[in-house]
Amino acid sequence: MPSPTRSISEPSKVLVFGAGNFGSCLADHLGDSDHDVYLWSRQGEVVESLNKTHRNPMYLKDHHFSTNITAVGPELPGETLINEMDVLLFAIPTQFLRENLEKLRLYLNKEKHPLLIFVNKGIEIGTHALTLEIITDTCGAGIAKAATFISGPSFAKESKICNLTCLLVVQRQPTSVSVTSFTDSEAQRAAILFHQPHFRCYTGSDPIGTELAGALKNVYAIAAGAADGLGFENNTRAMIITRGLAEMTRIGTAYGADPLTFLGLAGVGDLFMSCSSPTSRNYSVGFRLGKGESLDSIINNLGSVAEGVTTAKGVKMILDELGIKARIATTVIYEETIIPGKDIQAAVRELLELPSSKEIDLPSATGGPAKQLMKKLGLD
């Protein structure tokens, strides 16, 4: 059987910020797609190991990374390297994005800036800003309008479950993602950069919905993990996924996103995977909470960032601003994040004892925060 035809993409110079699971995975994918990749890590040992042995001692430890990757760091790359790049890809946690963009914006060529791609999923604590707004605040509306966002069911790392090896992006198992931007040409450019037979890209024009979906699903993954930790089974998980999707769509619609976005890869696709896999960091947090472990203990030895824990605090601010109800999200926010240690079984009991309500209940008032953001971007 002949090999599948590769995507047509000219080799590009790509700088990936963040050598965690997902950043390393995407760098490896792009390196194997014949792009010239630079991978920044703030840990000197990771830089040294990748350059000497093509292995990451912190993440995906058994994987031999593409020889097209050059690791850089621990200092943040400077103007010379930035201006050589065709693409800057950000795979660093949302809570650290603003400070890094404020440093890097000084090096961006205002006449011809590189393609900017963001794969982080979260809401900034304190400001409850989406990544799009952080980019606007730090780099300006012009750069934010051209920024692209990649999201979808695409774990960088899985493990062996029931003696079966789960899908691994680094093993080139088929994966699909959503690539969105307000600028269609930039979304297409990012899709062409990544697209391969095993890594399929679908473009869209609703980055606000894509961002919200990617952030919110982490909160519901905590809820799903907690339910499993408490001993509930498939019926309960299906309920959480389905009702979680309804809540995500309600929140997104009230915010001003396209409700159809939540039915795509960045919405239900990512939600289903994050709520179903024991190797999801957010699911793991919830599962351990369900088993009675304290949140502080979980965070201290998790070994990687679970965005849902910090995102939950931003979600509370968004719910308060929108004036809408999202019962599952609220339970996660109050009982598992803001007041850790309260009896989680009591929290679940309270949730299950709520009165019956409409299954589909989209808000009548929509679009406030999105309209403000669009005005900030000059797209109103």
Side-chain angles (χ1 to χ4, degrees):
M1 182 176 179
S3 299
T5 303
R6 291 167 58 90
S7 287
I8 299 173
S9 174
E10 293 297 323
S12 298
K13 287 189 174 183
V14 183
L15 173 55
V16 179
F17 291 92
N21 274 331
F22 204 33
S24 298
C25 166
L26 294 179
D28 185 63
H29 168 72
L30 292 171
D32 269 2
S33 301
D34 298 328
H35 298 292
D36 189 7
V37 180
Y38 295 81
L39 178 60
W40 173 73
S41 173
R42 58 187 176 85
Q43 296 170 302
E45 62 186 292
V46 173
V47 175
E48 183 178 3
S49 180
L50 281 168
N51 287 334
K52 286 185 176 180
T53 68
H54 303 291
R55 294 188 184 276
N56 187 329
M58 304 294 293
Y59 302 98
L60 301 166
K61 297 178 184 179
D62 296 329
H63 183 67
H64 188 273
F65 285 85
S66 169
T67 55
N68 286 335
I69 296 175
T70 301
V72 295
E75 297 80 15
L76 203 64
E79 185 174 5
T80 301
L81 184 61
I82 295 291
N83 285 333
E84 291 177 2
M85 295 297 111
D86 301 305
V87 182
L88 302 181
L89 190 155
F90 295 87
I92 54 182
T94 302
Q95 309 310 322
F96 305 110
L97 185 61
R98 187 181 293 271
E99 63 184 77
N100 283 290
L101 286 179
E102 285 176 343
K103 297 173 184 175
L104 292 169
R105 67 176 177 179
L106 302 174
Y107 306 143
L108 293 177
N109 187 327
K110 294 181 180 179
E111 300 300 321
K112 187 181 178 182
H113 62 77
L115 172 66
L116 269 62
I117 301 175
F118 296 83
V119 300
N120 55 298
K121 300 173 181 178
I123 297 170
E124 190 176 43
I125 296 175
T127 65
H128 67 280
L130 301 179
T131 295
L132 189 59
E133 189 165 5
I134 297 173
I135 302 166
T136 307
D137 291 344
T138 55
C139 300
I143 289 177
K145 284 187 285 189
T148 60
F149 302 84
I150 294 180
S151 189
S154 50
F155 281 162
K157 178 182 179 183
E158 295 267 6
S159 63
K160 289 185 178 180
I161 305 171
C162 301
N163 298 320
L164 295 175
T165 303
C166 294
L167 300 182
L168 283 158
V169 173
V170 293
Q171 288 186 344
R172 308 303 177 242
Q173 294 288 340
T175 297
S176 290
V177 295
S178 174
V179 182
T180 59
S181 175
F182 283 124
T183 305
D184 289 341
S185 60
E186 297 296 85
Q188 288 287 349
R189 189 177 160 198
I192 290 171
L193 178 79
F194 273 96
H195 194 86
Q196 294 293 346
H198 58 272
F199 198 95
R200 300 190 56 79
C201 298
Y202 296 86
T203 59
S205 57
D206 181 24
I208 292 176
T210 297
E211 280 203 71
L212 280 171
L216 290 169
K217 61 90 182 178
N218 289 328
V219 176
Y220 294 101
I222 292 175
D228 283 3
L230 288 166
F232 298 115
E233 298 190 13
N234 291 335
N235 283 9
T236 308
R237 188 185 308 119
M239 176 184 71
I240 290 172
I241 292 172
T242 308
R243 295 308 306 156
L245 177 61
E247 288 189 7
M248 285 170 56
T249 306
R250 187 184 310 129
I251 296 167
T253 303
Y255 199 95
D258 183 346
L260 291 178
T261 298
F262 297 89
L263 298 179
L265 290 163
V268 67
D270 207 357
L271 175 69
F272 179 83
M273 186 179 69
S274 297
C275 290
S276 303
S277 174
T279 56
S280 158
R281 293 185 296 271
N282 295 287
Y283 173 98
S284 297
V285 168
F287 185 84
R288 291 165 66 177
L289 284 166
K291 288 295 186 183
E293 192 172 346
S294 73
L295 184 64
D296 286 343
S297 171
I298 295 167
I299 291 174
N300 287 338
N301 60 40
L302 187 63
S304 56
V305 176
E307 290 264 32
V309 175
T310 50
T311 295
K313 299 175 183 179
V315 172
K316 180 187 183 302
M317 296 177 70
I318 288 175
L319 290 175
D320 289 345
E321 179 182 347
L322 296 174
I324 63 171
K325 295 179 180 179
R327 298 295 194 183
I328 299 174
T330 301
T331 299
V332 173
I333 291 164
Y334 283 104
E335 314 309 342
E336 297 172 20
T337 303
I338 294 178
I339 315 175
K342 183 174 180 178
D343 185 357
I344 192 171
Q345 295 192 26
V348 171
R349 240 184 350 261
E350 291 172 14
L351 183 62
L352 292 175
E353 290 173 356
L354 289 169
S356 177
S357 60
K358 291 176 64 175
E359 182 173 13
I360 307 298
D361 186 21
L362 294 181
S364 55
T366 63
K371 287 175 183 175
Q372 294 175 18
L373 182 51
M374 296 290 272
K375 185 175 182 180
K376 209 171 186 179
L377 290 166
L379 294 173
D380 53 330

